[in-house]
Amino acid sequence: MVTPAAKRQAVARFQATLGMSERRACMVVGADRTNMRYHSCRADDVDLRSRLCELEQQRWRFGYQRLHILLRRDGITINRKKTQRLDREKSLHGRRRKGRKRSVGARAPAPALPLPNQRWSLDFVHDQFVTRVLNTVDDVTRECLRAVADTSISGRRVVREFTHLVAECGSPKMIVSDNGPNSTSNAVLPWSGDLGVEWHYIALGKPTQNWFVESLNGRMRDELVNETLFFTIGQALSILARRVDDYNTK
């Protein structure tokens, strides 16, 4: 009995079953008598809890911090600690370890207009050692917009590269990616929200929903990554630049 609510219940039980006075019961439990007459004035937050549940159904891998960003994007201004408390009370993430993870709702990306910068797709391909390559494709023009190689590419690095890419090519309407940590980090959500770009996540185990960049990755893996040994990042960037130019022009 450490919470005030639990102590109030204990005092009420002592009074009902043992006939104790309130003063005596509070002394036994170790509770303050002023807390016995307290009635919460806190709002029930039905709409907020409902919206939080909807967001958790759509983004079931997100923790309370990223859910808090989505709530603020919807115009709901609350304290981060309140989001954490509501998330913990509802036990929204308790089902993560129960059985097989399944996608919720329709995860297929919406059709894109036949214009450039309507929808971009990104994905990673890596060799057998330490080199990782971030590929970005325009789904309409099929152009490889950028191929970035490094030993590690975090969410912040993804945001930095996309900021440069937006400055060069303009802002897209939608970006499609898988549910990897590089795409679901706390750095990606505020960036896409501030820019007004919809970030769409494909369903788990459905790489065909990101087919344009998967096609590029397959070709790059067969024709370049599996056939080339990268000794330095500079060498990898130089080879990738030639590969991207060849892919876009032939």
Side-chain angles (χ1 to χ4, degrees):
M1 294 179 295
V2 294
T3 63
K7 291 180 179 180
R8 281 195 293 270
Q9 294 178 359
V11 169
R13 183 175 181 84
F14 285 158
Q15 288 181 287
T17 57
L18 302 179
M20 285 186 179
S21 65
E22 182 182 271
R23 184 187 301 273
R24 177 61 177 171
C26 288
M27 291 178 59
V28 173
V29 176
D32 192 341
R33 292 185 64 192
T34 58
N35 292 331
M36 296 303 104
R37 301 177 181 86
Y38 172 77
H39 297 283
S40 177
C41 300
R42 181 183 295 169
D44 53 4
D45 297 322
V46 175
D47 296 337
L48 176 59
R49 294 172 186 271
S50 176
R51 180 55 183 161
L52 195 58
C53 288
E54 292 177 2
L55 291 175
E56 197 276 338
Q57 290 290 331
Q58 299 171 5
R59 303 283 187 263
W60 56 270
R61 292 190 65 183
F62 285 11
Y64 78 91
Q65 292 179 329
R66 284 181 280 186
L67 291 175
H68 181 70
I69 295 175
L70 296 180
L71 288 175
R72 294 181 65 90
R73 187 181 300 176
D74 292 341
I76 303 176
T77 305
I78 59 174
N79 189 283
R80 179 182 57 82
K81 294 181 180 179
K82 184 173 183 178
T83 305
Q84 182 182 14
R85 176 175 58 81
L86 294 177
D87 182 48
R88 185 178 300 170
E89 288 178 358
K90 297 293 290 184
S91 299
L92 298 177
H93 306 288
R95 60 185 175 86
R96 285 186 177 180
R97 298 182 180 274
K98 297 180 181 179
R100 179 183 176 186
K101 295 179 181 179
R102 300 181 183 275
S103 59
V104 179
R107 289 297 187 91
L113 297 176
L115 297 172
N117 284 347
Q118 293 297 308
R119 188 174 67 201
W120 294 353
S121 298
L122 69 94
D123 199 6
F124 294 86
V125 61
H126 58 87
D127 61 7
Q128 297 296 325
F129 296 95
V130 295
T131 306
R132 292 177 60 86
V133 181
L134 168 62
N135 288 323
T136 307
V137 175
D138 190 311
D139 291 357
V140 176
T141 64
R142 307 296 194 271
E143 178 185 3
C144 179
L145 301 176
R146 178 159 297 186
V148 181
D150 209 333
T151 55
S152 177
I153 301 178
S154 63
R156 293 182 179 180
R157 176 68 181 278
V158 171
V159 169
R160 189 163 64 249
E161 295 295 337
F162 269 81
T163 301
H164 298 326
L165 190 57
V166 167
E168 295 175 5
C169 304
S171 176
K173 301 295 183 181
M174 177 187 294
I175 297 177
V176 182
S177 71
D178 57 15
N179 293 268
N182 313 81
S183 305
T184 59
S185 68
N186 290 332
V188 169
L189 288 174
W191 177 84
S192 61
D194 295 340
L195 201 61
V197 177
E198 180 183 357
W199 199 290
H200 179 84
Y201 298 98
I202 64 175
L204 294 176
K206 298 292 183 179
T208 54
Q209 294 182 2
N210 206 11
W211 52 85
F212 298 113
V213 70
E214 289 290 346
S215 175
L216 171 62
N217 285 351
R219 295 181 183 182
M220 182 177 292
R221 184 179 295 106
D222 293 337
E223 301 174 5
L224 178 64
V225 176
N226 292 345
E227 302 293 333
T228 307
L229 182 61
F230 300 115
F231 293 97
T232 63
I233 297 300
Q235 176 202 15
L237 291 174
S238 177
I239 296 176
L240 283 174
R242 294 195 298 268
R243 168 63 186 174
V244 170
D245 181 70
D246 180 76
Y247 178 83
N248 291 334
T249 57
K250 296 181 180 179

